[in-house]
Structures are given as C-alpha cells and as structure tokens.
Amino acid sequence: MSREPQAEAVIDLDTYRSNLEALRAAAPGALQMPVVKADAYGHGLAPVARAAREAGADWLGVATGAEALALREAGDTGPVLCWLAAPGADFTSLAEADVEVTASSAEQLAEILSGSTRRPKVQLKVDTGLLRNGAFGPQWDLLVEAAVQAQSAGRLEVTGVWSHFACADEPDHPANDEQERVFTESVEQLEAAGIAPRLRHLANSAATLVRPSSHLDLVRVGIASYGISPDAGLQHGVALQPVMTLRGRAVSVKRVPAGRGVSYGHTYVTDRETTLVDVPLGYAEGVLRTASGRARVGVAGAQVPVAGRICMDQLVADVGDLPVARGDVVTLFGPGDDGEPTAQDWAEAAGTIAYEVVTRLGGRIVRTYRGER
Ligand SMILES: *Cc1c(COP(=O)(O)O)cnc(C)c1O
C-alpha cells in the first residue's frame, strides 16, 4: 500500500472554522447551531463536530437520534438537537445522553414521554408551510395542548420552538414572509398557553445569509458552513470558502490517436491525438454518474473534460497535451484556487444541487483532515 491515498477528500478545518466565524458575524445576535447531519454533509461527523465546538458552536444539529448518539460516542458533550424520528425511536437513550429531541406531533410527544426515564428536554416543531415534518394547523393546537399538560405535570421541559423554510434560497418568494408570520403566531399561541421557550429558531443557511428578520434566538447553518452557497444565484456578502477538495492520483496515462471511443459505451470519441488519464474515483465513491460527459476536472492548473462515462471505481480525463504523469494529482472539485472546478460546477454538470455532490461521498473514500487541533 502506498502511504498517500490514491484518492481522498481533503477537509480543511481551518476553512470550516472561518466559515462559521463569518456566519456568526452575519447573525450577531443569535446563537449558532452548525448542522452536522449526514456525516457532516459528507465531511466526516467527528472531526467536523470538534472543529465546530472549537469555533464556538453553541449547539450542534443532526437529523436522527442515531446521529446524535454518534456525536456523544465521539466525545461531544455540548447541546445537541435532533429532529427526525419514526415511531419506535429510542428516546430513552437520547434522554440519557442529554440530547434534546423534537416533537412534531402530540403523538410523537407521547412517545417521547413514555420512553423517557428522566425528564426530557423537548423542542416543538411547527410546520409553517414546508409541509414536510412538524405539526401543521390543528396538529399544532394538539401539540401545544399536550406540551402544556406535560410541562405542568413536570414531565418534560420545553426548551425550544422552531420551524423550517421552504424557499429561503429565493429571497423574494412570498412563502418566506408567510412562514415567518405563521411562526410568530404559533409562538404567541404557545406563550399564551403558558410555555415560553428559551429558543425560537427558523433560519437555515440561506435565511442566515439574507433574511435577518428570521435570525431570532438561533440559526441552523448547514451547507454554508461547508463553504457552499445554498443557491449559486443567492446574493450575499458573506465570505465562504469550500471546505472539501476531492482528488485522486493518475493511475494510468496513455497517448491515443484521434477517433477512439473512451470508457463504457464509447460515448466520448477523441477528436485529436490526446492524452487520457485514469483517475481512481467513481460512482461507488459517490461521484455522480449523471455528470458523465459534462463535468470537468482540474489538472496542473487547468480544467479538462471527463471523457465519457463515469465508472464504478474510476473516471477518465482527457488532458490533451498537458504533461501529466502517473501519480499526478487530478482534482474533481475544490475551492477553485488552483483553477479546479467547484462542487457547484459538478452540481450543474449532474443536474443537481451542490448539497448532493458532497453528501453523496462515501464508498472507499479516504478523508484527510487539515487544520486539526
Ligand atoms: C438540513 C437542515 C438545516 C440546514 O440547512 P442548510 O440549507 O444546509 O443550511 C437546517 N434545519 C433543518 C431542520 C434541516 O433539516
């Protein structure tokens, strides 16, 4: 085995911490909850969580209870909130691990209470218009009623009330104002019923960047903390730098004549004599196959096309006459400092969003960390 990985995702934790600082400056009055679900958006849960706390993260947010327990196993002892649980979730372990959980309905609140040996800390989620998770309309009335009863019986502590935007990456979308209005009303209803939680929160990355009216007590920052804009067209003044660089080392280099088909199906045909380089990263690592024939990669400061189909373990780049040798580094995406494409470029090539480009990474990928303290 060579000591250098043949393919790796390099995660720059200095960059991650400075993104969090920039986001904190963008929401100065609010607590910060970096979101580290989905293995920290493909960046690796434990090292990213540690770096977040080093940068002063007040909270960490994850989707599932299993992710919250993984944070505890990794040694994190700070405030953690999770928000996605199907019936049968292990709320006992979460309460014992001092993880705060989210109730999205009166039914779910009952499950949380019946599963808890100690008094759980619960945040209430109101659905203000995403129509996904959370208590909607009359469900909210029932949840408020159930929470008031349980709290006055001393069976739980309601620590927060929150919701999630549907269209925050489109600042002018009328749903944003409407969701904020419904949220304010829902909080007032809760307060009138006798519960005034310490934390009210609504903002994701996009709202943190462009919608100060939604910052309230806490902001939940996901994609922006990894240096990726929630939407390529979103105008904001916050300096964000991509945290991840995905790269591999050329495993074979060959000179081929014009008119030769490349990779499965021969969908790409060389239009001149050229050099082809084989890079050991494929769809098993989460490199999106739908970017075949459209994505570009960075080599020696230039961008060159991916030639034909992305395979399970490898892809081929057409480097033209660039002097590339076996073992040279080929960068699929990164911050763009060396002229390489970004995750956003790959998203456009694959017809998806940059969130998917980074969170899909897995398989045999080795993560290498820079800036670990
Ligand atoms: C994923 C998620 C976030 C973070 O969203 P970004 O757009 O990545 O900032 C915030 N809140 C909830 C409930 C989420 O599920």
Side-chain angles (χ1 to χ4, degrees), residues 35 37 41 83 132 162 164 204-205 220-223 355:
V35 179
K37 65 189 179 187
Y41 289 46
W83 51 69
R132 192 176 68 180
W162 66 277
H164 194 43
N204 56 3
S205 290
R220 306 185 304 269
V221 287
I223 197 72
Y355 291 76

Side-chain angles (χ1 to χ4, degrees), residues 130 165-180 204-211 214 229-236 353 355:
L130 177 59
F165 278 120
C167 309
D169 55 348
E170 297 171 58
D172 299 328
H173 199 294
N176 295 315
D177 282 341
E178 175 62 8
Q179 284 195 265
E180 232 179 276
N204 56 3
S205 290
T208 302
L209 292 170
V210 301
R211 210 175 161 82
S214 70
S229 181
D231 183 275
L234 194 70
Q235 298 295 315
H236 63 82
I353 53 176
Y355 291 76

Side-chain angles (χ1 to χ4, degrees), residues 139-276:
Q139 292 179 325
W140 177 246
D141 304 338
L142 294 174
L143 178 56
V144 169
E145 199 180 306
V148 168
Q149 268 181 19
Q151 178 149 297
S152 52
R155 296 186 62 207
L156 58 67
E157 186 187 346
V158 177
T159 55
V161 53
W162 66 277
S163 190
H164 194 43
F165 278 120
C167 309
D169 55 348
E170 297 171 58
D172 299 328
H173 199 294
N176 295 315
D177 282 341
E178 175 62 8
Q179 284 195 265
E180 232 179 276
R181 188 188 65 73
V182 174
F183 187 68
T184 305
E185 274 182 18
S186 307
V187 173
E188 283 167 2
Q189 182 186 345
L190 185 64
E191 287 172 349
I195 297 181
R198 191 158 42 83
L199 296 175
R200 299 155 301 156
H201 51 110
L202 186 53
N204 56 3
S205 290
T208 302
L209 292 170
V210 301
R211 210 175 161 82
S213 59
S214 70
H215 292 172
L216 306 177
D217 299 314
L218 176 150
V219 294
R220 306 185 304 269
V221 287
I223 197 72
S225 69
Y226 304 101
I228 296 172
S229 181
D231 183 275
L234 194 70
Q235 298 295 315
H236 63 82
V238 183
L240 302 172
Q241 272 280 109
V243 170
M244 182 193 291
T245 300
L246 181 64
R247 61 189 204 180
R249 289 162 62 225
V251 293
S252 84
V253 177
K254 53 179 64 97
R255 194 72 185 161
V256 303
R260 298 302 302 258
V262 184
S263 190
Y264 290 131
H266 281 179
T267 56
Y268 183 91
V269 178
T270 56
D271 61 0
R272 66 210 182 298
E273 184 182 314
T274 191
T275 299
L276 299 177

Side-chain angles (χ1 to χ4, degrees), residues 305-324:
V306 170
R309 291 199 184 138
I310 293 166
C311 311
M312 187 184 294
D313 323 300
Q314 46 206 309
L315 60 82
V316 179
D318 182 348
V319 303
D321 296 328
L322 289 172
V324 179

